[in-house]
């Protein structure tokens, strides 16, 4: 057959635009994919060019199944796996290929035998093998558009001059398929140009929901956007918030992971640790690298996997090689589903894997159909002999082909399910539903366009693709599993999923067990889940473990699921999940730092050692003072009592008594009355004591100083004058205290700052009077001035003969008292940072005051009491001294001091004077 030249194609006018798009599509496509044999002699005419499809394109047809019928449907199935580099097709795929393809044949048989569905119309088919490769599927799908490219053969003549007889290709009105999303996307791009509707039974890529780009595409399975939502709900139900994703390169894997990541970002609560892609043509060791990369974020044990079953198997093998059995917790998409092939001999690694599969049911009719297929009754399936050899592990004899001695010969008597394992492939139901969806659409179209007509009428010859698409989108019928089959405006089926977990019962009978389902919301039975080693508790896949009570989350920048836990330290408590707050000053955190509790309030207790010791000393002092006072009152008119200055002695003893008494006020529970008496008596006792002493020493000093110059006695040395001077000095102290009362009325306070150590468990509020350390010192300062002045006079009067005065005992008393108070100052202020500051300072103050009072009592009055009580014979009246005798004594004393300085012997005074 020869051609004198290409002639203008007599194409229908509505296809001219499509051919222009087809020309652009192929020119662009083959700029990057150079397959010289693809188009063979297909030349596309646009704008005056010829479009010719050579008869040599018939070479495709021996690799397809042709079922004659009034209306022909196309079918695309992955009969073979993707071949190695440079080879289109690889090994046979029994389940995803043969099972699914036979499901279409089964559905056609059922429809053609149904008198109610498409009566008097027979559905035929042209079924092609995609070889699991999108580019090969595109090449094969050209078969579906041949009938739409009409050829003008007027200029074509055979060698004998006769016109050629060219068989008209069948017209495909719709296509069932494809399986993989990448294949469906590639094929959909060409089918839409020729307005050929397409119904997929397995393609779930969200991209295919774009009704603007894939307007002729529909599917009976839900898109991965639903699947991704279901998988996200599963992840959240198991309490995971940190997972990795793993996707096979291509539309299905990448779009599935993209959908999962987008939904997780919008919903929040789940973070992606790693997003790893499996190359389309992985190199040696690629999967080991993938496992190593996933282990970089080992906390993300959950792995969301959108991959084909071959890649899934190799991922499991790599995990086993890395000795990570049981570490990864896989959540697989419908490409894993409930398939046995990915987990064969890898059950221990896959144990616990949660997989998802569009809700399905096993079709009993298909099982009966398929298990009765044999080499004799299934000759229409051109790949069935290859399946037979693979399924029964035998070899068929073919003319000219030598039988492999390692394989047994097929007898033809083998039976599926009897001599081989058989389990219905998961997508069989959807293949049947896809064929029925097309049949119901054609049936409805026939009823509307050919009412009362038997067979295909002129209105349906040819079947308009746009009209058929509208009917497909409006079908609503009960599918093979009893569930409704319908499509939304984008051609998507509703989301209905079964959730499986691969479990090993007693580690010997692995299998998939239904643990829940998803229909717009999740119903998951966590109690039915079982993990590696038979563990029933859900493993964790989280970036950071929950913070303990009392710890706040410090978020990691850019990763909302990761944080560091920081303890709310010191006096802080956990305000909320992310913040710590300091407790109020009168409170401290509870042990777990989730709230604040009142700080315990303490005071100095009577049974405390810090109170018992000062109180004991004070009690002894009070008893001793009382004894002296009683003795003096009892022997009030005796010479010793009178000689000691009765009036000032009683004043001085009153001061000593008050000094002892203040100890009990300092220990008593603070109150307004107690605080008022503390202010009043703290300095008053010492003021009285040292005012009396100062008056005495001053009187002695003035008498002897006056005696040195004159025989006239000094003024204000009478007992009355002495009392007046003493009370004047005391009134200064009392006046100061009452001014303090007016400015700051006495009251109690609870000091929470004094006892607030780093450890809040030791914090205490101290109930005390409003007397600070400074106010205590100010209160005592006047008494200290009196004491120092008295000491100065005692030093000046040290040379006075001891027979004439009490200057020396007073001097020793003041020296000792000064030493006591010099020791008091560093102890009192040196304990300011101590946790027992209040107790130490109170004890120090009261003991110091009791010691100073005891020194005064012991040195000034105990000798007199001793003489009065134990030596009354010495308590007799001696000759009264005149002021002249005092002057002589003072002169003699001055002379004696002068002689002693010259080395002369000291002259004793005349005691008989």
């Amino acid at each position: 057959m020869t051609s004198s030249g290409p002639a203008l194609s007599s194409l229908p006018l509505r296809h001219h635009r499509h051919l222009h798009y087809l020309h652009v599509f192929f020119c662009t496509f083959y700029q990057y994919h150079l397959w010289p044999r693809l188009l063979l002699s297909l030349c596309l005419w646009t704008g005056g060019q010829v479009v010719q499809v050579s008869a040599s394109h018939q070479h495709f047809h021996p690799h397809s199944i042709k079922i004659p019928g009034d209306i022909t449907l196309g079918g695309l199935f992955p009969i073979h796996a993707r071949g190695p580099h440079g080879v289109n097709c690889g090994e046979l795929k029994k389940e995803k290929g043969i099972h699914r393809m036979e499901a279409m044949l089964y559905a056609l048989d059922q429809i053609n035998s149904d008198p109610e569905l498409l009566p008097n119309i027979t559905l035929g088919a042209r079924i092609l093998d995609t070889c699991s490769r999108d580019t090969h599927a595109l090449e094969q799908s050209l078969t579906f558009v041949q009938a739409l490219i009409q050829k003008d053969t007027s200029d074509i003549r055979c060698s004998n001059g006769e016109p050629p007889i060219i068989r008209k290709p069948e017209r495909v009105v719709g296509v069932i398929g494809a399986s993989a999303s990448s294949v469906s996307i590639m094929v959909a791009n060409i089918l839409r140009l020729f307005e050929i509707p397409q119904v997929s039974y397995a393609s779930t890529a969200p991209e295919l929901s774009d009704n603007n780009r894939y307007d002729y595409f529909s599917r009976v399975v839900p898109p991965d956007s639903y699947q991704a939502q279901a998988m996200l709900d599963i992840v959240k139900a198991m309490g995971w918030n940190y997972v990795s994703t793993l996707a096979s390169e291509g539309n299905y894997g990448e779009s599935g992971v993209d959908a999962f990541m987008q939904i997780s970002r919008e919903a929040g609560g789940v973070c992606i640790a790693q997003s790893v892609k499996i190359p389309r043509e992985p190199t040696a060791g690629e999967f080991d690298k993938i496992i190593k990369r996933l282990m970089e974020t080992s906390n993300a044990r959950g792995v969301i996997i959108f991959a084909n079953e071959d890649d899934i198997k190799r991922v499991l093998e790599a995990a086993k090689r890395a000795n990570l059995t049981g570490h990864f917790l896989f959540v697989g998409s419908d490409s894993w589903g409930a398939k046995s092939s990915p987990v064969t001999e890898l059950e221990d690694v896959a144990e616990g894997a949660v997989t998802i599969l569009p809700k399905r049911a096993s079709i009993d009719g298909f099982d009966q159909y398929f298990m009765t297929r044999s080499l004799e009754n299934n000759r229409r399936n051109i790949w069935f002999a290859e399946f037979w050899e693979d399924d029964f592990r035998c070899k068929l004899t073919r003319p000219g082909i030598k039988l492999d001695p390692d394989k047994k010969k097929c007898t033809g008597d083998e039976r599926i399910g009897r001599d081989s394992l058989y389990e219905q492939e998961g997508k069989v139901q959807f293949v049947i539903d896809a064929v029925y969806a097309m049949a119901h659409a054609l049936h409805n179209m026939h009823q509307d366009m050919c009412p009362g007509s038997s067979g295909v009428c002129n209105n349906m010859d040819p079947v308009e693709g746009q009209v058929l698409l509208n009917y497909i989108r409006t079908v609503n019928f009960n599918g093979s599993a009893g569930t409704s089959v319908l499509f939304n405006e984008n051609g998507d089926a509703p989301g209905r999923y079964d959730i499986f977990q691969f479990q090993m019962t007693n580690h010997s009978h692995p299998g998939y067990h239904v643990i829940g389902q998803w229909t717009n919301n999740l119903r998951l039975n966590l109690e039915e889940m079982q993990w590696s080693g038979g563990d029933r508790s859900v493993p964790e896949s989280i970036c950071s473990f929950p913070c303990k009570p009392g710890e706040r989350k410090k978020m990691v920048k850019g990763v909302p699921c990761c944080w560091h836990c920081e303890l709310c330290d010191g006096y802080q408590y956990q305000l909320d999940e992310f913040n710590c707050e300091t407790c109020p000053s009168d409170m401290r955190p509870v042990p777990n730092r989730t709230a604040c509790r009142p700080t315990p309030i303490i005071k100095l207790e009577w049974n405390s050692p810090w109170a018992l010791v000062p109180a004991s000393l004070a009690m002894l002092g009070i008893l001793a003072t009382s004894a002296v006072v009683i003795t003096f009152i009892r022997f009030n008119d005796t010479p010793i009592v009178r000689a000691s200055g009765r009036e000032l002695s009683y004043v001085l003893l009153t001061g000593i008594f008050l000094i002892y008494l203040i100890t009990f006020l300092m220990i008593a529970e603070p109150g307004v009355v107690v605080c008022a008496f503390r202010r009043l008596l703290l300095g008053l006792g010492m003021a009285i004591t040292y005012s009396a002493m100062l008056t005495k020493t001053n009187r002695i000093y003035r008498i002897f100083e006056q005696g040195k110059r004159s025989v006239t006695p000094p003024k204000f040395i009478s007992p009355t004058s002495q009392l007046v001077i003493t009370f004047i000095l005391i009134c200064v102290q009392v006046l100061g205290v009452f001014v303090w009362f007016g400015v700051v009325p006495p009251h109690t306070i609870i000091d929470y700052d004094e006892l607030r150590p780093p450890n809040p468990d030791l914090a205490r509020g101290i109930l005390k009077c409003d007397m600070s350390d400074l106010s205590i010192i100010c209160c005592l300062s006047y008494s200290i001035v009196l004491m120092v002045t008295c000491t100065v006079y005692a030093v000046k009067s040290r040379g006075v003969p001891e027979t004439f005065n009490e200057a020396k005992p007073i001097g020793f008393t003041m020296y000792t008292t000064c030493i006591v108070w010099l020791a008091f100052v560093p102890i009192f202020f040196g304990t300011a940072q101590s946790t027992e500051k209040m107790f130490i300072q109170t004890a120090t103050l009261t003991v110091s005051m009791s010691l100073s009072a005891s020194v005064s009592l012991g040195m000034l009055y105990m000798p007199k009491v001793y003489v009065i009580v134990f030596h009354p014979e010495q308590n007799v009246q001696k000759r009264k001294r005149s002021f002249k005798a005092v002057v002589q004594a003072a002169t003699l004393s001055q002379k004696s001091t002068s002689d002693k300085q010259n080395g002369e012997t000291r002259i004793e005074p005349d005691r008989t004077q």
Side-chain angles (χ1 to χ4, degrees):
M1 180 169 59
T2 61
S3 175
S4 59
L8 183 64
S9 175
S10 57
L11 289 172
L13 204 55
R14 64 189 178 84
H15 287 307
H16 283 198
R17 176 173 55 88
H18 296 158
L19 287 177
H20 173 69
Y21 292 154
L22 186 65
H23 174 72
V24 174
F25 174 79
F26 278 115
C27 289
T28 304
F29 182 81
Y30 287 103
Q31 181 179 357
Y32 301 100
H33 301 80
L34 303 177
W35 293 303
R37 70 183 184 84
L38 176 65
L39 284 181
L40 300 176
S41 57
L42 175 65
C43 302
L44 303 180
W45 176 79
T46 56
Q49 300 298 318
V50 175
V51 176
Q52 174 186 333
V53 178
S54 157
S56 63
H57 191 66
Q58 298 296 324
H59 289 302
F60 288 131
H61 290 189
H63 301 291
S64 65
I65 294 176
K66 173 69 174 81
I67 307 295
D70 300 322
I71 298 176
T72 302
L73 302 179
L76 292 171
F77 295 92
I79 305 299
H80 292 87
R82 186 169 55 207
H85 186 68
V87 179
N88 283 327
C89 302
E91 61 184 11
L92 184 78
K93 302 182 78 168
K94 294 191 299 182
E95 296 175 343
K96 294 180 70 173
I98 298 299
H99 283 207
R100 295 180 181 180
M101 188 271 293
E102 286 287 352
M104 181 175 180
L105 297 179
Y106 166 76
L108 291 174
D109 292 345
Q110 296 294 309
I111 294 169
N112 290 333
S113 62
D114 188 346
E116 301 296 330
L117 186 61
L118 290 174
N120 300 316
I121 297 177
T122 302
L123 285 182
R126 172 69 72 179
I127 300 176
L128 305 174
D129 180 10
T130 65
C131 291
S132 307
R133 190 186 294 271
D134 51 2
T135 53
H136 182 73
L138 178 63
E139 179 183 342
Q140 294 291 294
S141 64
L142 293 177
T143 302
F144 300 145
V145 302
Q146 282 189 82
L148 299 177
I149 306 176
Q150 301 178 14
K151 299 172 285 294
D152 183 359
T153 61
S154 59
D155 291 341
I156 301 176
R157 292 291 182 269
C158 294
S159 57
N160 58 3
E162 296 294 325
I165 300 174
I166 300 176
R167 181 173 63 86
K168 183 178 180 180
E170 74 275 12
R171 182 186 179 93
V172 174
V173 300
V175 175
I176 306 300
S179 179
S181 295
S182 58
V183 173
S184 289
I185 289 172
M186 188 71 78
V187 172
N189 280 313
I190 189 171
L191 293 182
R192 70 184 294 268
L193 298 178
F194 291 90
E195 297 180 350
I196 300 177
Q198 177 185 0
V199 180
S200 174
Y201 49 84
S203 298
T204 56
E207 183 181 351
L208 289 165
S209 297
D210 187 347
N211 203 37
N212 294 321
R213 297 177 57 193
Y214 307 104
D215 45 345
Y216 281 82
F217 178 84
S218 305
R219 48 187 164 190
V220 292
V221 289
D224 285 339
S225 54
Y226 295 163
Q227 184 175 200
Q229 181 64 60
M231 296 171 78
L232 178 63
D233 290 346
I234 292 170
V235 167
K236 287 187 172 182
M238 293 190 293
W240 299 352
N241 67 5
Y242 197 52
V243 296
S244 296
T245 62
L246 189 57
S248 291
E249 186 177 4
N251 292 95
Y252 171 76
E254 294 180 48
S255 60
V257 163
D258 289 344
F260 180 85
M261 295 175 67
Q262 180 179 353
I263 293 172
S264 65
R265 279 195 300 267
E266 292 172 355
V270 175
C271 298
I272 308 302
Q274 299 267 7
S275 188
V276 185
K277 186 188 298 183
I278 302 173
R280 195 184 301 270
E281 302 288 346
T283 59
E286 186 70 38
F287 288 91
D288 295 325
K289 293 178 183 177
I290 289 172
I291 293 297
K292 185 177 181 181
R293 182 175 172 187
L294 290 175
M295 284 302 294
E296 290 176 1
T297 50
S298 58
N299 279 2
R301 295 179 63 189
V303 178
I304 311 302
I305 183 166
F306 282 83
N308 60 60
E309 56 187 281
D310 295 332
D311 288 343
I312 293 170
K313 189 175 185 68
R314 286 183 279 185
V315 167
L316 297 178
E317 290 172 344
K320 189 169 187 176
R321 285 194 301 271
N323 197 26
L324 292 172
T325 299
H327 176 79
F328 292 112
L329 312 169
F330 295 100
V331 179
S333 62
D334 62 345
S335 61
W336 186 335
K339 297 186 182 72
S340 57
S341 56
V343 300
T344 302
E345 299 180 356
L346 295 166
E347 290 84 358
D348 53 344
V349 185
E351 184 178 9
V354 178
T355 60
I356 190 171
L357 196 63
K359 198 169 186 61
R360 59 169 184 158
S362 182
I363 310 303
D364 295 336
F366 176 78
D367 288 341
Q368 296 172 6
Y369 161 81
F370 190 73
M371 293 173 70
T372 59
R373 297 300 89 193
S374 66
L375 294 172
E376 289 76 21
N377 64 16
N378 199 22
R379 295 185 182 278
R380 63 181 177 178
N381 184 349
I382 64 173
W383 298 288
F384 197 70
E386 185 180 356
F387 166 80
W388 195 269
E389 291 180 329
D390 189 274
D391 197 43
F392 296 107
R393 301 181 185 276
C394 62
K395 194 69 177 178
L396 293 170
T397 56
R398 293 184 179 88
I401 299 178
K402 186 178 180 181
L403 184 65
D404 188 350
D406 295 334
K407 288 190 176 182
K408 65 179 182 179
K409 181 181 178 181
C410 298
T411 65
D413 296 330
E414 298 88 355
R415 287 294 175 264
I416 298 172
R418 185 192 70 184
D419 302 312
S420 66
L421 295 175
Y422 167 74
E423 182 181 356
Q424 188 179 123
E425 200 276 332
K427 294 291 197 302
V428 163
Q429 168 199 336
F430 300 105
V431 175
I432 297 172
D433 288 345
V435 178
Y436 265 88
M438 195 73 76
H440 277 280
L442 289 168
H443 180 81
N444 297 336
M445 183 179 181
H446 181 265
Q447 287 184 327
D448 293 343
M449 301 183 69
C450 306
S453 175
S454 177
V456 179
C457 65
N458 291 333
N459 291 337
M460 286 184 65
D461 189 17
V463 174
E464 293 292 336
Q466 181 62 54
V467 178
L468 178 59
L469 176 66
N470 294 335
Y471 279 97
I472 290 173
R473 294 290 174 87
T474 57
V475 297
N476 190 344
F477 64 95
N478 287 330
S480 55
T483 56
S484 59
V485 177
L486 67 158
F487 304 97
N488 64 12
E489 65 277 6
N490 296 322
D492 295 328
R496 292 187 291 261
Y497 296 97
D498 282 326
I499 302 168
F500 299 85
Q501 187 182 40
F502 187 77
Q503 299 178 355
M504 296 178 66
T505 306
N506 297 327
H507 299 275
S508 58
H509 299 90
Y512 292 94
H513 298 266
V514 178
I515 58 171
Q517 50 189 297
W518 189 92
T519 307
N520 294 327
N521 55 72
L522 178 67
R523 294 188 297 275
L524 186 66
N525 191 351
L526 293 172
E527 291 75 16
E528 293 293 325
M529 302 185 77
Q530 180 177 308
W531 305 89
S532 180
D535 189 6
R536 291 283 179 177
S537 59
V538 179
E540 293 178 323
S541 180
I542 55 179
C543 179
S544 302
F545 290 99
C547 292
K548 298 177 182 178
E551 294 180 341
R552 74 177 185 93
K553 291 181 179 179
K554 184 179 181 182
M555 305 305 297
V556 176
K557 188 176 181 181
V559 189
C561 301
C562 298
W563 58 81
H564 302 298
C565 294
E566 287 188 350
L567 179 66
C568 297
D569 57 358
Y571 287 81
Q572 294 181 329
Y573 73 100
Q574 185 181 359
L575 178 64
D576 53 36
E577 192 176 6
F578 304 100
N579 297 290
C580 293
E581 188 77 17
T582 302
C583 288
S585 60
D586 60 339
M587 305 186 81
R588 58 176 181 167
V590 296
N592 63 3
R593 296 182 177 272
T594 56
C596 293
R597 54 177 172 166
T599 301
I601 299 173
I602 63 170
K603 58 184 179 61
L604 187 57
E605 301 293 342
W606 289 102
N607 58 357
S608 168
W610 299 107
L612 287 175
V613 173
S616 299
L617 290 176
M619 183 58 68
L620 292 175
I622 289 174
L623 293 175
T625 304
S626 301
V628 172
V629 171
I630 292 172
T631 301
F632 268 49
I633 293 175
R634 172 70 179 79
F635 299 97
N636 185 57
D637 293 323
T638 61
I640 291 180
V641 174
R642 294 175 63 187
S644 63
R646 286 176 298 181
E647 298 78 6
L648 282 182
S649 290
Y650 288 128
V651 171
L652 196 149
L653 287 170
T654 301
I656 292 174
F657 181 84
L658 292 178
I659 291 174
Y660 285 126
L661 184 63
I662 193 61
T663 296
F664 298 97
L665 289 173
M666 297 298 291
I667 297 174
E669 181 175 349
V672 175
V673 175
V674 171
C675 291
F677 277 102
R678 278 191 189 180
R679 287 192 189 182
L680 180 62
L681 300 183
L682 180 62
L684 183 60
M686 293 182 64
I688 293 174
T689 300
Y690 296 120
S691 293
M693 286 189 185
L694 177 59
T695 303
K696 277 192 173 189
T697 54
N698 175 264
R699 174 175 177 271
I700 295 170
Y701 174 76
R702 286 189 298 113
I703 288 174
F704 280 89
E705 284 297 315
Q706 181 70 16
K708 293 177 184 179
R709 296 189 295 269
S710 171
V711 293
T712 305
K715 298 178 180 180
F716 311 118
I717 60 173
S718 65
T720 303
S721 301
Q722 296 296 297
L723 288 175
V724 171
I725 294 172
T726 300
F727 281 111
I728 290 174
L729 294 175
I730 294 172
C731 286
V732 174
Q733 174 72 25
V734 175
L735 180 62
V737 171
F738 278 99
V739 171
W740 188 7
F741 282 163
V743 175
V744 182
H747 61 277
T748 59
I749 60 171
I750 300 175
D751 190 346
Y752 293 98
D753 296 326
E754 183 173 313
L755 198 53
R756 198 173 176 88
N759 183 0
D761 291 336
L762 302 178
R764 298 292 185 271
I766 301 175
L767 177 63
K768 61 181 183 179
C769 295
D770 63 328
M771 297 174 66
S772 64
D773 296 346
L774 181 61
S775 63
I776 291 175
I777 296 302
C778 291
C779 188
L780 296 175
S781 59
Y782 179 66
S783 299
I784 293 173
V785 171
L786 293 176
M787 181 179 64
V788 172
T789 306
C790 185
T791 304
V792 171
Y793 277 110
V795 171
K796 289 184 176 183
S797 302
R798 67 184 183 278
V800 176
E802 58 184 12
T803 54
F804 293 98
N805 59 80
E806 298 176 297
K808 289 186 179 181
I810 291 175
F812 285 124
T813 298
M814 299 317 301
Y815 304 153
T816 307
T817 301
C818 287
I819 293 173
V820 170
W821 286 98
L822 285 175
F824 160 79
V825 172
I827 296 174
F828 187 86
F829 291 100
T831 57
Q833 304 301 321
S834 174
T835 56
E836 296 183 328
K837 170 188 173 182
M838 183 196 74
F839 307 138
I840 296 175
Q841 290 187 342
T842 301
T844 303
L845 177 62
T846 53
V847 168
S848 297
M849 295 183 72
S850 294
L851 288 177
S852 61
S854 299
V855 168
S856 301
L857 185 65
M859 290 193 173
L860 295 179
Y861 294 102
M862 284 304 173
K864 294 180 174 59
V865 171
Y866 176 78
V867 172
I868 293 172
V869 175
F870 297 104
H871 296 283
E873 70 279 3
Q874 296 183 12
N875 189 11
V876 294
Q877 177 71 41
K878 295 184 181 181
R879 184 170 59 89
K880 186 176 180 179
R881 302 186 188 89
S882 63
F883 182 72
K884 182 179 178 182
V886 171
V887 171
Q888 290 178 350
T891 305
L892 185 61
S893 175
Q894 184 178 8
K895 182 179 180 182
S896 173
T897 302
S898 177
D899 291 342
K900 188 175 180 181
Q901 291 175 353
N902 295 326
E904 296 179 0
T905 304
R906 181 173 177 263
I907 301 174
E908 292 293 337
D910 185 4
R911 298 184 183 271
T912 61
Q913 291 181 359

